[in-house]
Amino acid sequence: MSIQILDIILYSFQGDRRLLSLRPGEVNIITGDSKTGKSALISIVDYCLGSSSCAIPAGAIRNSVSWYALRITDGSAEHFIARRAPDADRTSSSGAYYAVGSTLNIPTADELSVTTNIDSIVERLKSIVGIDLSIHEPSEGQTRPALTTTLRHALAFAFQDQNEVSQRGFLFHGQGDPQAGSFVTQAIKDTLPYFLGAVDDNFVAGKARLRELRRQLRERERTLARLEAVASGGINDAASLLTEGRDAGLLAQDEAPESWDAAVAALRAAVNVSPEEQLIRYEENPEQAELVRLNNEHASLRDQLTRHQDELEAMRTLLSDENGFVRETREQVSRLTSLRLFANSEEPCCPLCDQPTINLPSSETLELEIQRVSEQLGQVTRHTPGLEALILEQEQRINGTKRLLQENRTALDALRRADDRLVRLRDSAARRAYVLGRISLFLETLPQVADNSELRAEISELQREIEQLEADLSDENIQERLDSILSFISRDLTEWAERLELEHRGNPFRLDLRYLQVVADTNNGPIRMDGMGSGANWVGCHLIAHLALHSWFVQKSRPVPHFLFLDQPSQVYYPAEQNIESSLIDLEDEDRAAVVRMFELVRDVVNELHPDFQIIITEHADISEDWYQEAVVERWRNGNALIPSEWIPNET
């Protein structure tokens, strides 16, 4: 089951709560006077379900509401969604609160806080409604990007506000937006086949599977082509590699395999001969003993140089620390010596003012301390020249090691320049290594068996599966299923057009997805909704189209919210200047009968789909039929309205 609305909740800035409770699976009517907030309900629900901007009219509602909220049900659990009202200088707010449970108590204002963002809630509701990953890929030659289906696309079928329900030029919510209307229209055309079920729920997975099968087919076809090229004896990779192997010395010059198996065997044998091994064996030859000795000596001298440099750094650090100690000690000696400037006294007194003091060291104590510190300073001074001498010796050792390293490098360079044979061997080894790598890659990509019958069977099976998937996912196949669904829906449109006594009744009515309009097919040709006269026909076309679509959505368990919000569908039957109170007594008999037929159709469709479809209607009219009165959930007359009067600040 998809989602239906249990409550619409508003929270005031003072913490009060306004609750509008609705009945799932039934017709819910809110009737009342003008300017009581009826038309704002669609904008409130849309805002709570993730609209990018808050379309709630400025005035009493925006000035008094701090949070907008919904409690909805998916048939097994309840979900509470609250979204903060936008600040005065903003068009929306992303701050939101969300809770889910088998049954939920509606939070108080004190319990509300921003716990998530509205985009995360909408993404979760997408899975609750049942929208799978569906991507519409435009046909070749079209530049618009692929479109991923979201909950916002499904809501185009859930709302009909006052300006939409009687619109002659379009059917769906959002098409009349002057800025986004064209994008909304195209999105509806792209996503409606998915919502109707013409595009399978596994369409995206099928597309991914098709891409993978095509990749596997290309890979196996390349392998088969390589095998057939070799078998035909033409120019191929194996022959080219055999030539390169002979030229690089990996194969004997007279190596000329006459069959495929012999060619592969020769290339595999060449792989087992490593040119690096030849170079190592050459360098380890006794004739190269001097080269080995110089290399070992070079490594030993590098280690020795590093060790000497580390020791020198440690000595310099120690010397730096001792010099710091000497400076500090001399400073302390100078301070203590300065005390001798003052006279000795038998009684403890201040050396500056001769006043008696307590707990000061005596002159004898200070003399002893001066003598002790001076002796320490002398010891440090005596040791420092020895450390400096060691540093000089270490620097000489480092210079000597650097000189030996330079001599070693000179000897190595001379030996290598003199050995042209070693240079040539290195160049040859690099070339052999390159050819060897190409041969190894070729052998790794070869099929394990020469018999290609199994490979041909795989290719045939892949081609069969690809053809089947292409047929299932083709535009023609999708269009065929879509035409079948629209044909089924057109039966309801035709029957209900007759019931509402619309113009051109008696002719087949259908939904044209090219124009997103209801069309009557007459003897004189098709007549689109925008070509029909009178607002009653336009409202009637909107009504039968949405009821027929939702009947299909419910019967086929399609991922669309199972509620429809209609705002004042009877408006076209009343003069613009007339103030509607509570009945149809001021209408002509024909108009009064048309309004009753319209609401009876709504009632019967909801009863047929009960409990899986909910309609919420906001209306001026208050029909005195028992079934209509039972459907009324609130009346907003005589001071009653969406916003309680005590919420509205007094203007003085």
Side-chain angles (χ1 to χ4, degrees), residues 225-474:
R226 188 185 302 118
L227 285 175
E228 290 176 343
V230 172
S232 66
I235 299 176
N236 52 71
D237 293 341
S240 175
L241 288 173
L242 287 170
T243 300
E244 292 185 31
R246 286 191 294 268
D247 185 56
L250 294 171
L251 296 169
Q253 293 298 317
D254 57 354
E255 187 86 41
E258 297 181 357
S259 67
W260 163 254
D261 291 337
V264 172
L267 291 174
R268 293 191 187 282
V271 171
N272 295 327
V273 179
S274 172
E276 287 80 5
E277 292 180 3
Q278 296 180 8
L279 180 60
I280 292 173
R281 285 197 299 269
Y282 183 83
E283 291 182 342
E284 290 179 350
N285 191 284
E287 296 178 359
Q288 299 300 315
E290 180 62 16
L291 178 62
V292 173
R293 186 192 68 79
L294 288 173
N295 281 331
N296 291 338
E297 182 184 74
H298 182 81
S300 176
L301 288 172
R302 288 295 307 169
D303 291 342
Q304 180 177 308
L305 178 61
T306 300
R307 187 171 61 255
H308 287 342
Q309 288 174 333
D310 291 343
E311 292 173 354
L312 177 61
E313 183 62 26
M315 292 178 184
R316 287 174 173 167
T317 300
L318 180 59
L319 179 60
S320 176
D321 292 344
E322 288 183 349
N323 288 338
F325 179 78
V326 168
R327 286 193 299 271
E328 184 62 26
T329 304
R330 286 175 175 167
E331 178 67 21
Q332 297 302 324
V333 170
S334 298
R335 291 176 179 175
L336 291 170
T337 302
S338 65
L339 297 176
R340 293 173 177 171
L341 298 174
F342 303 98
N344 293 333
S345 175
E346 294 180 358
E347 296 295 332
C349 62
C350 175
L352 296 175
C353 63
D354 289 335
Q355 294 298 318
T357 62
I358 59 173
N359 297 330
L360 288 178
S362 64
S363 298
E364 291 80 3
T365 301
L366 292 174
E367 285 290 344
L368 290 174
E369 187 62 24
I370 293 172
Q371 183 178 356
R372 183 182 65 80
V373 174
S374 298
E375 290 175 356
Q376 290 180 349
L377 180 61
Q379 291 175 2
V380 172
T381 305
R382 285 194 299 272
H383 284 94
T384 299
L387 183 57
E388 292 175 345
L390 290 175
I391 290 175
L392 291 175
E393 293 176 4
Q394 191 69 9
E395 290 176 343
Q396 292 174 358
R397 293 191 192 96
I398 290 174
N399 291 334
T401 303
K402 289 181 178 179
R403 185 173 58 256
L404 292 175
L405 268 174
Q406 182 60 42
E407 293 173 357
N408 176 270
R409 281 195 291 268
T410 301
L412 279 172
D413 292 342
L415 183 60
R416 287 169 178 158
R417 284 195 300 271
D419 195 344
D420 293 335
R421 207 153 51 96
L422 181 60
V423 174
R424 287 194 300 272
L425 182 59
R426 288 182 180 276
D427 293 341
S428 178
R431 172 167 171 71
R432 281 196 296 271
Y434 171 75
V435 176
L436 187 63
R438 294 192 60 208
I439 293 174
S440 298
L441 180 62
F442 173 77
L443 293 174
E444 289 172 1
T445 58
L446 283 179
Q448 297 300 314
V449 293
D451 184 8
N452 58 26
S453 59
E454 184 177 346
L455 182 60
R456 290 181 181 276
E458 289 183 24
I459 291 175
S460 178
E461 177 62 23
L462 285 171
Q463 289 173 335
R464 184 199 64 76
E465 191 172 353
I466 287 172
E467 290 174 0
Q468 182 62 47
L469 266 176
E470 286 177 337
D472 293 341
L473 302 175
S474 68

Side-chain angles (χ1 to χ4, degrees), residues 593-614:
V595 172
V596 172
R597 286 195 299 269
M598 183 171 58
F599 285 112
E600 285 179 339
L601 175 61
V602 170
R603 176 201 63 190
D604 293 345
V605 171
V606 171
N607 288 340
E608 181 182 349
L609 300 177
H610 180 81
D612 297 325
F613 184 48
Q614 175 190 46

